[in-house]
Amino acid sequence: MPIYNRVALIGLGLIASSMAHAMRAGGLAGEIVGHAKSAETRATALEIGICDRVYATAAEAVAGADLVVLAVPVGAMAAIAAEIGPHLAAGATVTDVGSVKQAVIAAVAPHVPAGCHFIPGHPMAGTEYSGPRSGFATLYKNRWWLLTPDAETDAAALLRLRSLLEAMGAKVDSMDAAHHDLVLAVVSHTPHLIAYTMVGVADHLAQVSNSEVIQYSATGFRDFTRIAASDPVMWRDVFLTNKDAVLDILGRFTEELFVLQRAIRMGDGEQLHDYFTRTRAIRRGIIEAGQDTSAPDFGRVPSEKLQDKT
């Protein structure tokens, strides 16, 4: 039986598309409708079958939906929430997929009317690809989906949403919004910023070295470029809305970097070896937790091959 009768996806990129594929595969939604600003994206969503219907406005899309998923950049959340608020069905649940939670709560919660339920969320899954064609049904399999309910969150609505996410293959956990933002600054936001910075440095060097930096890239730099290929609008909004936590972690990172810089300058091989041994254990822990694979390509295959598996 469907868990929700009508799901409205506001924004039809990788995350929403993958949700649609997963819901279709499991029969979890009676109807899936969507909205995207781009007419081309709306046409693609119909062509590949992730939506039964698409609408030019978010207000039209949410009418009659018992679950609304906000899958737009964090910076667009306030405007979308203001648009859909008056059109939400009584008892509807609204969730989001943004990787920053305090800013999203401040932007969305004031526009959710009484009788509706806002349960902020964040799937810890993704690829460097974007757009509706990049989605696939197994994106969330064994990946964490974090929810940040508060003390007033309706227990039945929360349980229903958890049931959907778990049925899509996700592992669901709840935490405080502020704690979420700090954790994400460590495990996602700052690493992305470092990757963007390193690629920027290499680009500058390539301009003065006949592109040798690009031509002879080793695996480490290729991983940086993969991370830095992510949606620039999304990451611009992440850093602007989670700046306090990111700046905190960047300060800690700089302190660690100074320690390593001094060890290299002083030729302290023992300290370097001990540091690298300790940090390597974190990678092993990630693999043992099932959040990645030890395969040479980290298990990543082109997006179209992932779709073939669904």
Side-chain angles (χ1 to χ4, degrees), residues 117-173:
H117 314 290
F118 177 43
I119 307 175
H122 175 210
M124 302 284 288
T127 73
E128 66 270 36
Y129 302 104
S130 58
R133 294 188 188 277
S134 61
F136 55 99
T138 57
L139 177 64
Y140 306 114
K141 185 176 181 180
N142 294 324
R143 301 301 181 193
W144 287 103
W145 198 303
L146 303 179
L147 300 176
T148 59
D150 60 25
E152 299 179 357
T153 299
D154 182 81
L158 178 60
L159 179 61
R160 190 180 182 189
L161 180 58
R162 286 184 67 110
S163 297
L164 174 73
L165 304 180
E166 289 170 352
M168 292 194 301
K171 300 187 293 185
V172 183
D173 199 4

Side-chain angles (χ1 to χ4, degrees), residues 101-114:
K101 294 275 71 79
Q102 293 179 100
V104 168
I105 291 170
V108 175
H111 302 288
V112 178

Side-chain angles (χ1 to χ4, degrees), residues 39-286:
E40 180 181 358
T41 299
R42 295 195 298 270
T44 299
L46 288 175
E47 176 193 338
I48 64 179
I50 61 172
C51 291
D52 298 302
R53 287 180 286 165
V54 294
Y55 297 90
T57 68
E60 293 176 290
V62 304
D66 47 356
L67 176 65
V68 175
V69 181
L70 305 182
V72 298
V74 173
M77 290 285 184
I80 288 290
E83 178 184 350
I84 68 173
H87 304 278
L88 292 170
T93 293
V94 178
T95 189
D96 77 292
V97 298
S99 69
V100 177
K101 294 275 71 79
Q102 293 179 100
V104 168
I105 291 170
V108 175
H111 302 288
V112 178
C116 293
H117 314 290
F118 177 43
I119 307 175
H122 175 210
M124 302 284 288
T127 73
E128 66 270 36
Y129 302 104
S130 58
R133 294 188 188 277
S134 61
F136 55 99
T138 57
L139 177 64
Y140 306 114
K141 185 176 181 180
N142 294 324
R143 301 301 181 193
W144 287 103
W145 198 303
L146 303 179
L147 300 176
T148 59
D150 60 25
E152 299 179 357
T153 299
D154 182 81
L158 178 60
L159 179 61
R160 190 180 182 189
L161 180 58
R162 286 184 67 110
S163 297
L164 174 73
L165 304 180
E166 289 170 352
M168 292 194 301
K171 300 187 293 185
V172 183
D173 199 4
S174 297
M175 64 175 59
D176 173 76
H179 184 65
H180 167 279
D181 290 353
L182 180 61
V183 170
L184 265 293
V186 175
V187 303
S188 177
H189 302 167
T190 304
H192 273 80
L193 188 63
I194 294 168
Y196 277 114
T197 304
M198 193 62 225
V199 173
V201 170
D203 178 61
H204 175 74
L205 290 175
Q207 295 176 28
V208 297
S209 61
N210 297 319
S211 299
E212 289 176 336
V213 171
I214 304 299
Q215 182 177 349
Y216 302 125
S217 294
T219 54
F221 183 71
R222 288 203 298 270
D223 282 342
F224 273 136
T225 60
R226 181 191 64 79
I227 296 172
S230 301
D231 183 359
V233 174
M234 179 187 77
W235 284 104
R236 176 201 65 194
D237 290 353
V238 164
F239 293 123
L240 291 177
T241 54
N242 198 28
K243 61 181 180 181
D244 290 341
V246 170
L247 290 173
D248 179 17
I249 301 305
L250 274 177
R252 297 169 187 262
F253 171 77
T254 301
E255 293 172 2
E256 294 285 308
L257 195 59
F258 282 147
V259 171
L260 293 177
Q261 184 178 14
R262 184 178 186 281
I264 293 170
R265 180 180 294 112
M266 301 301 293
D268 192 341
E270 182 177 355
Q271 181 177 7
L272 291 172
H273 182 271
D274 290 345
Y275 192 95
F276 298 152
T277 299
R278 179 161 45 88
T279 55
R280 184 175 65 168
I282 296 176
R283 172 63 189 170
R284 291 175 174 171
I286 291 172

